[in-house]
Amino acid sequence: MLIILNKWITLINNFNYQFLLLTILVMLALSCENKTITNQFFINGKYKGNDDTKLRLVYTDIDQNLVIDTIPLVNGGFTAKGFIQDITFAKILTLEDIPNRHSRISFFIEPGETQIELESGAFENANVSSGNTQIEYEILNKLERPIYNRIDGLILYRDSILNKQYDDKNSKVLLKRKKEISHEVQNKLDSIKSIRLNFSTENPNSLLSGFYVGLMYLRKLPIDSLMYYNKRFGENVKKSLFGKMLEQGLLEKSITSKIGDKAPSFSLKNVHNETVKLEDFKGKYILIDFWASSCVPCRKASPKLNNLYKKFHPKGVEFVGITSDSQISTWKKAIAKDKTTLWHHLRLGKESTSIGMKYNVQIIPTYILIDTNGVIIGRFNSSSDNNLNLISLEAKLESLFVDI
């Protein structure tokens, strides 16, 4: 809106002030009217549990801003409302616990009313009454649930291995088993991905197909696959928010920094105000972590990244954090607090826009893996509630050193 107003202000210098001011006011009035009539959603919910529980609603609003609202519970019920551009993916989670399948729910909201019934500690069994996209989503969730249960079991078993002390003989056997578990987890994730993409292929007019291709797997699919889906999708999907995201993704992937591309060069200052270049790491594997001190998922991923550093740095992987922080003091405090001082930390500064565009960073955290020849071999966008992207990253790193 500010950009639009700035353009109008420029025109005011050349045309009649009163006429243009009236035009602006009419446009704003129409915009507000459209929001009220066609774009507002209402959530009416029931909650079985303690009214002291704090819930948080996360969604993308009509202006494509990420909204995080705290929802108060009153007599076992809750309400929420807002404005959305189109059918939108949303989450409700508790504030008290680390989010997991039992304390968060993902669902679709559409303009109009959505009914939700939640039970403490069993959010995965929630009852959501919305539109047809939500119904399709729940059908696929039932197919995926046994696979996710298996993934949870594998992760618990793998963590139990990590938390125990073993002698040298047993440690080699268990290390091998841990690698096998990581590969099995990745195979399970791939099977879930196949379920969703098969659905997208068979249902080209479903908005859920647009969601899977245009949002969830947009960064993970090669450009030829995206073009295939974009050609098949119906006009309703192409005109939706997810369809527009797919179109934008196709444009971005045609530009730069795809898997297989040469990693763009950079020259940035580190915490000691020394210049560090990509070329300084020539002949080594490099993991770049695009992050910021204000990014909650970025900070939550720090312990896991620490573990990955301790495991793979001795094998030749350099970890490089690149922040978008404007305040140097805030940046340094976050590094110290997260105990990530062991690896390289660089700040974008005035280079923020150009390097972000060169590496096609659309969301943080974004992890980019570069091989010893300077070629991008992996992109991992954001940290999901179950750290699945970090698990995929670890599996990729594991695969680099299978014979070591």
Side-chain angles (χ1 to χ4, degrees):
M1 185 60 73
L2 289 175
I3 295 174
I4 295 173
L5 289 176
N6 286 334
K7 289 181 178 179
W8 278 113
I9 290 170
T10 301
L11 289 173
I12 285 172
N13 294 326
N14 301 317
F15 297 99
N16 183 275
Y17 173 83
Q18 292 182 344
F19 173 76
L20 286 175
L21 181 59
L22 178 61
T23 303
I24 293 171
L25 293 174
V26 170
M27 288 176 64
L28 291 174
L30 288 173
S31 174
C32 292
E33 182 179 358
N34 286 335
K35 275 188 175 183
T36 303
I37 295 173
T38 62
N39 301 103
Q40 191 166 25
F41 73 85
F42 301 89
I43 294 177
N44 290 312
K46 295 180 180 179
Y47 182 78
K48 187 177 180 181
N50 192 335
D51 267 5
D52 291 334
T53 301
K54 294 181 180 179
L55 300 178
R56 175 176 288 171
L57 171 67
V58 183
Y59 68 98
T60 303
D61 70 6
I62 192 170
D63 297 314
Q64 296 307 290
N65 296 315
L66 182 66
V67 176
I68 304 175
D69 279 343
T70 299
I71 311 174
L73 284 169
V74 180
N75 297 325
F78 61 91
T79 60
K81 62 182 179 180
F83 295 96
I84 53 178
Q85 184 182 109
D86 202 343
I87 183 170
T88 300
F89 194 60
K91 293 183 180 182
I92 291 179
L93 58 153
T94 60
L95 300 184
E96 289 81 2
D97 305 316
I98 297 175
N100 55 59
R101 289 194 300 116
H102 309 299
S103 64
R104 66 160 170 77
I105 176 177
S106 301
F107 60 100
F108 288 91
I109 49 176
E110 303 181 26
E113 185 174 348
T114 297
Q115 299 281 347
I116 300 178
E117 295 181 5
L118 297 174
E119 182 177 352
S120 177
F123 278 30
E124 70 274 21
N125 298 323
N127 184 14
V128 181
S129 298
S130 184
N132 188 58
T133 303
Q134 178 64 27
I135 294 173
E136 293 175 333
Y137 181 62
E138 290 177 358
I139 291 172
L140 287 191
N141 273 347
K142 289 180 180 178
L143 295 175
E144 297 167 4
R145 187 170 296 175
I147 305 175
Y148 274 118
N149 289 339
R150 176 58 178 160
I151 290 174
D152 289 344
L154 288 169
I155 292 173
L156 286 173
Y157 177 47
R158 187 191 62 182
D159 291 345
S160 70
I161 293 175
L162 291 174
N163 293 332
K164 293 180 180 179
Q165 298 292 328
Y166 301 96
D167 57 37
D168 290 341
K169 182 178 180 181
N170 287 332
S171 64
K172 290 180 180 179
V173 174
L174 291 168
L175 180 60
K176 181 180 179 182
R177 178 58 183 143
K178 181 177 174 293
K179 289 181 179 179
E180 292 171 350
I181 292 171
S182 296
H183 287 303
E184 189 173 351
V185 167
Q186 185 58 53
N187 289 336
K188 297 297 181 187
L189 292 175
D190 289 341
S191 66
I192 290 173
K193 179 180 176 182
S194 295
I195 290 173
R196 294 169 175 174
L197 294 182
N198 286 339
F199 173 89
S200 302
T201 301
E202 296 169 2
N203 298 273
N205 294 311
S206 168
L207 291 176
L208 183 59
S209 300
F211 166 74
Y212 285 139
V213 177
L215 179 61
M216 182 164 285
Y217 295 114
L218 180 63
R219 307 298 172 193
K220 299 178 181 179
L221 291 173
I223 190 168
D224 55 344
S225 295
L226 294 178
M227 292 174 66
Y228 165 80
Y229 284 110
N230 190 51
K231 185 176 180 179
R232 283 180 54 86
F233 282 161
E235 286 302 312
N236 64 317
V237 177
K238 290 181 179 180
K239 292 179 180 179
S240 72
L241 174 61
F242 304 132
K244 293 174 182 176
M245 294 174 72
L246 172 56
E247 184 178 356
Q248 180 64 26
L250 279 168
L251 178 62
E252 292 169 359
K253 278 181 176 282
S254 66
I255 298 174
T256 184
S257 291
K258 304 181 295 295
I259 292 177
D261 286 353
K262 198 78 173 176
S265 180
F266 59 73
S267 178
L268 300 170
K269 296 289 186 179
N270 65 11
V271 291
H272 306 296
N273 202 36
E274 300 166 338
T275 299
V276 177
K277 300 179 181 179
L278 176 67
E279 291 74 19
D280 295 339
F281 307 105
K282 186 177 180 179
K284 297 182 179 180
Y285 287 104
I286 309 164
L287 177 65
I288 300 180
D289 168 25
F290 285 93
W291 73 292
S293 63
S294 60
C295 167
V296 175
C298 302
R299 304 292 296 278
K300 283 185 176 181
S302 292
K304 178 64 176 177
L305 288 175
N306 260 320
N307 291 334
L308 293 179
Y309 175 85
K310 292 173 183 177
K311 180 176 180 179
F312 292 103
H313 180 257
K315 297 181 179 181
V317 182
E318 294 290 345
F319 283 53
V320 180
I322 298 182
T323 185
S324 56
D325 280 88
S326 58
Q327 296 295 324
I328 295 178
S329 59
T330 304
W331 170 46
K332 290 183 177 181
K333 286 178 182 178
I335 294 170
K337 186 174 182 180
D338 292 355
K339 300 179 181 179
T340 59
T341 54
L342 291 174
W343 63 77
H344 305 275
H345 283 281
L346 312 177
R347 194 171 70 90
L348 289 171
K350 295 180 180 180
E351 298 295 321
S352 176
T353 302
S354 62
I355 292 181
M357 288 180 64
K358 286 179 181 178
Y359 276 91
N360 198 10
V361 176
Q362 303 296 320
I363 188 172
I364 55 174
T366 287
Y367 312 108
I368 295 179
L369 187 59
I370 303 170
D371 72 7
T372 55
N373 296 313
V375 175
I376 296 173
I377 57 173
R379 294 184 63 100
F380 307 86
N381 297 84
S382 185
S383 287
S384 66
D385 293 333
N386 291 324
N387 280 330
L388 296 183
N389 286 306
L390 286 173
I391 293 171
S392 298
L393 170 59
E394 182 174 12
K396 180 65 176 180
L397 287 167
E398 293 269 19
S399 70
L400 301 177
F401 303 101
V402 170
D403 298 326
I404 295 179

